[in-house]
Amino acid sequence: MSSHDQSVESADGTHLVVRRLGVGDPVVLVHGSGGGLHSWATVAEHLTQDHEVWLPARRGYGPSDVPAGTKSFRTETADLLAVIEAARRSSGRPVHLVGASYGATLALHTTLADPRDVRSLAIFEPPLFAAGAQVAPLLDRYRAAFERDDAAAMAAALNDVTRVPAEIVTALAAGAGDRAPDPVEARRSAVGWLHDLEALAQDSTDITRWSSITVPTLLLAGADTWEPMPTTMNTLARAIPAARYVVWPGQSHFVTMTAPTLVADALRQFFTAQPADWPSRPRHRRPSRDS
């Protein structure tokens, strides 16, 4: 399936590169930390026969802009709303919004801020436990390691944020073997992580705030993902009681890479279940620009 990239301008002038492919109802797939235009590629391939898929590279991740200053979920929400508006204008239809990991947290923020162009919301394992004051010292550690280009120290700080068990870290390292990461992509990922941590350090761990989301919602999780993610997802499911909650046996936080067909099939079934003419939602005030 052919694709093309375009630029979408956010409220503060930040330019976001978005990859579009497929035809049909619009779907916006939001990548997690360390990701980019490639993150959802395999899942997207399974959706393009009946959906127009929009793959934005979030601010801080090349080839999108990396603005100066501290990033927040307010600025990222404005970015995602700009992408959603562009998709709505292009198709004349509201979007199915999908996020994974940090991208799922951003999708929650965006839907809560302004759901008017969101037809449905699907989120996979947002790290809602990693926010606020507990992240601030980890951000400082990561920034110091970043400035001295210490990849091992950066990875150690990130492991403390994500709480990946040591045995999984060891297994991932063993799986990578002697393959050296592409230096350009590695740097993009490192820069992106730095800005994501800035946003997380300003956020809250309060899960009850998502209870006012009324958009049809699908919660997705892997049964083998480590704590505190399972507890977090169960709490989120209670906070959004109307949401459908699917837990995949034998899958973990990496399911979008290890089982993309499983993910795509679940999304397609969820999209199909939504009314074709979802009613208009109340207009909310757009998030203001950061000063």
Side-chain angles (χ1 to χ4, degrees):
M1 175 65 67
S2 62
S3 65
H4 71 275
D5 295 350
Q6 70 180 71
S7 178
V8 173
E9 184 174 350
S10 188
D12 65 355
T14 297
H15 288 272
L16 309 167
V17 174
V18 182
R19 182 158 296 162
R20 291 173 58 184
L21 58 164
V23 291
D25 288 345
V27 177
V28 176
L29 301 177
V30 189
H31 69 81
S33 295
L37 291 176
H38 62 282
S39 297
W40 281 100
T42 311
V43 173
E45 289 175 1
H46 294 284
L47 297 175
T48 54
Q49 289 188 352
D50 43 18
H51 292 88
E52 181 180 69
V53 181
W54 292 60
L55 303 169
R58 294 190 288 101
R59 75 166 54 204
Y61 289 88
S64 291
D65 287 351
V66 184
T70 301
K71 190 175 77 170
S72 69
F73 276 109
R74 183 194 299 178
T75 53
E76 282 228 272
T77 292
D79 292 350
L80 188 49
L81 286 172
V83 173
I84 290 170
E85 286 183 357
R88 174 65 185 256
R89 287 197 305 269
S90 175
S91 66
R93 288 164 283 184
V95 309
H96 298 292
L97 180 60
V98 183
S101 197
Y102 177 104
T105 304
L106 175 55
L108 284 167
H109 275 279
T110 303
T111 304
L112 189 64
D114 191 340
R116 62 184 177 177
D117 289 336
V118 179
R119 181 173 167 187
S120 73
L121 172 67
I123 57 173
F124 174 76
E125 295 192 343
L128 302 177
F129 56 85
Q134 62 181 313
V135 174
L138 300 176
L139 167 61
D140 292 340
R141 275 178 51 198
Y142 183 88
R143 192 190 306 278
F146 176 85
E147 290 173 352
R148 63 177 186 269
D149 199 22
D150 186 339
M154 283 189 283
L158 295 180
N159 288 339
D160 286 344
V161 173
T162 59
R163 306 188 198 180
V164 182
E167 60 270 21
I168 295 180
V169 173
T170 300
L172 291 173
D178 296 330
R179 295 192 303 273
D182 177 86
V184 173
E185 289 301 324
R187 188 62 179 177
R188 283 180 174 178
S189 177
V191 171
W193 262 111
L194 175 63
H195 293 292
D196 288 353
L197 290 175
E198 291 174 345
L200 290 171
Q202 300 172 64
D203 202 22
S204 167
T205 57
D206 177 20
I207 295 179
T208 61
R209 58 186 159 155
W210 312 120
S211 61
S212 59
I213 289 178
T214 58
V215 170
T217 301
L218 173 66
L219 307 180
L220 300 167
D224 292 352
T225 301
W226 51 91
E227 287 288 357
M229 187 61 79
T231 297
T232 299
M233 290 300 297
N234 290 336
T235 304
L236 182 61
R238 290 193 295 270
I240 312 178
R244 182 184 175 197
Y245 185 20
V246 175
V247 180
W248 289 307
Q251 301 298 332
S252 72
H253 197 64
F254 311 111
V255 66
T256 55
M257 294 179 289
T258 59
T261 303
L262 179 70
V263 177
D265 287 347
L267 291 175
R268 186 181 292 105
Q269 291 170 14
F270 177 61
F271 299 157
T272 301
Q274 306 314 315
D277 54 347
W278 188 255
S280 299
R281 306 181 199 283
R283 295 276 168 168
H284 290 247
R285 180 175 175 268
R286 291 291 194 197
S288 60
R289 299 182 184 182
D290 280 1
S291 58

